[in-house]
Amino acid sequence: MHSWGNAGPTFQEQQMLQTTGTAKMMLYSGVSAFLDLASPEDYILNLRNRQRSRGFLGADIYAAGGPLTHPNGHGTQYPGSSARTATSPWEARQRMDSLAARQPDVAKLIYNPNNDRYPSMDCATMEAGIEAAQTHGLTTVVHVETWAAAHQVVTAGADAITHAPPAPLPDSTLAAMRQQGTAWIPTLAVHTELSNLIQRPRLLKKDLLRAVADSVLLAAYRDTSGLPDQIRSWIDRQDEYQTTRLDAVRKAANAGVPILAGTDAGNPGLFQGYSLHRELVLLTQAGLSNWDALAAATTAAGRFLDAPFGLQRGDRANLLVLDASPLEDVRHTQNIHQVIYRGQIVNRSDFLNEAATSVPTVPTH
């Protein structure tokens, strides 16, 4: 996800939280840690380091720093972008060496060849970036938009791919993912939730959502009379490919591909903290059991980040106490009784008064 805050349906309405405010909204929502995949590098890594050395109450920050992409490629369009750009394998290795010195939690790459909006690294440059990251012991997460690109990324040895291409999952790519042990973060929420909120406004009445999202922002989702054509086209594409994406996740999960829960929050239709609960619902709609959907957001995510989340001795004492069992209905994760963070009961009501609403010093979309 992207921790700057929450966006309205057109990006014009924004709830500026800054990462510190997002960390509080996350913990209020029962999310004890998150992985930021696109924030200004100095800002996010310095904040992460401060949290780990001196602490501040909020969900644990994991961060990628600047993504590796092509000059003028996706990831460079945001104000204050810290993207590292490469046009050759040599440059990719140099950029990854520079990133590794900052000790990010993962290395993010953006690979979308044949994209009509942004130029992309070629395959050799992408492969060199992944290889260099592995040399430094960095876990790699690669943004992809087609299964052809995903196949190349998987065979190059990426640890995870993120997003769900709008096409059936090819058997050959699935076989490669199984062979390589590649994890998949499908971010179903970013591919479906804008349409869901516009067409099913009753979703805007959920208690947890109303607690973490600005009322003016939510009102913008109810009044859709002025939606620009670009946003309406985006909604139409979400509708058109929703079943295809759900089927792809079902196919991958049934084949044993590790599925991890992520949202791409920061985009329209998504809300920091709350949308992870919606992602779990979407994963079950794709065919995952409630147990497996919960694992995608807890133990499996912890293993991927090499973070000790669980119930073994020495694990972090981060627990979500619910009023009803999510094994009966995964939507029960929203019925939060208590949040326990590092062994302490969190006073959740304090977060609602402290969340930052001023314009941050980090870029918005």
Side-chain angles (χ1 to χ4, degrees), residues 16-143:
M16 303 297 191
L17 294 171
Q18 304 189 50
T19 301
T20 51
T22 288
K24 293 175 181 179
M25 289 300 96
M26 286 281 186
L27 199 55
Y28 177 91
S29 303
V31 181
S32 65
F34 61 91
L35 173 61
D36 182 287
L37 288 176
S39 282
E41 190 167 284
D42 286 342
Y43 171 83
I44 193 68
L45 292 180
N46 289 340
L47 183 62
R48 179 207 64 177
N49 294 343
R50 178 164 66 88
Q51 185 189 48
R52 293 180 183 179
S53 62
R54 303 200 300 270
F56 66 78
L57 187 58
D60 295 332
I61 300 168
Y62 289 79
L68 182 66
T69 187
H70 189 277
N72 298 316
H74 184 54
T76 65
Q77 72 269 37
Y78 306 124
S81 170
S82 299
R84 287 171 163 77
T85 62
T87 59
S88 69
W90 180 84
E91 285 187 340
R93 287 188 286 269
Q94 293 295 311
R95 304 298 184 266
M96 198 56 69
D97 290 346
S98 172
L99 175 63
R102 304 296 304 271
Q103 297 183 318
D105 297 293
V106 304
K108 179 182 179 180
L109 297 86
I110 299 174
Y111 183 63
N112 51 356
N114 303 316
N115 185 285
D116 58 2
R117 294 175 297 159
Y118 301 105
S120 173
M121 295 183 288
D122 61 25
C123 187
T125 302
M126 174 272 293
E127 291 173 341
I130 291 177
E131 181 181 10
Q134 292 173 335
T135 299
H136 290 287
L138 291 176
T139 298
T140 50
V141 178
V142 187
H143 166 115

Side-chain angles (χ1 to χ4, degrees), residues 3 6 16 82 126 147 163 170 176 178 227 265 268 301 319-320 334:
S3 61
N6 297 323
M16 303 297 191
S82 299
M126 174 272 293
W147 286 119
H163 301 316
R178 293 183 61 189
L227 287 180
L319 301 172
L320 182 58
Q334 300 176 41

Side-chain angles (χ1 to χ4, degrees), residues 123-277:
C123 187
T125 302
M126 174 272 293
E127 291 173 341
I130 291 177
E131 181 181 10
Q134 292 173 335
T135 299
H136 290 287
L138 291 176
T139 298
T140 50
V141 178
V142 187
H143 166 115
V144 295
E145 298 180 11
T146 68
W147 286 119
H151 194 111
Q152 292 177 313
V153 164
V154 168
T155 56
D159 295 294
I161 58 172
T162 185
H163 301 316
L169 171 57
D171 291 340
S172 58
T173 304
L174 176 61
M177 294 170 73
R178 293 183 61 189
Q179 181 178 356
Q180 296 287 341
T182 312
W184 184 17
I185 314 169
T187 61
L188 289 171
V190 79
H191 298 303
T192 61
E193 283 293 89
L194 179 57
S195 172
N196 287 337
L197 290 176
I198 297 298
Q199 299 185 40
R200 298 161 59 197
R202 66 181 183 278
L203 292 174
L204 296 167
K205 298 180 180 180
K206 298 294 184 180
D207 290 341
L208 182 58
L209 174 58
R210 292 196 299 172
V212 300
D214 182 78
S215 60
V216 175
L217 194 72
L218 294 180
Y221 284 94
R222 294 188 179 93
D223 180 11
T224 60
S225 58
L227 287 180
D229 291 342
Q230 182 181 10
I231 299 299
R232 292 192 182 279
S233 176
W234 188 2
I235 293 171
D236 290 342
R237 291 197 303 274
Q238 289 192 356
D239 291 340
E240 181 179 359
Y241 295 111
Q242 180 166 343
T243 299
T244 299
R245 287 175 163 129
L246 293 174
D247 288 345
V249 173
R250 179 182 299 108
K251 183 176 181 178
N254 288 341
V257 171
I259 304 295
L260 304 178
T263 63
D264 210 11
N267 281 292
L270 304 172
F271 301 91
Q272 306 292 352
Y274 170 77
S275 289
L276 184 61
H277 296 272

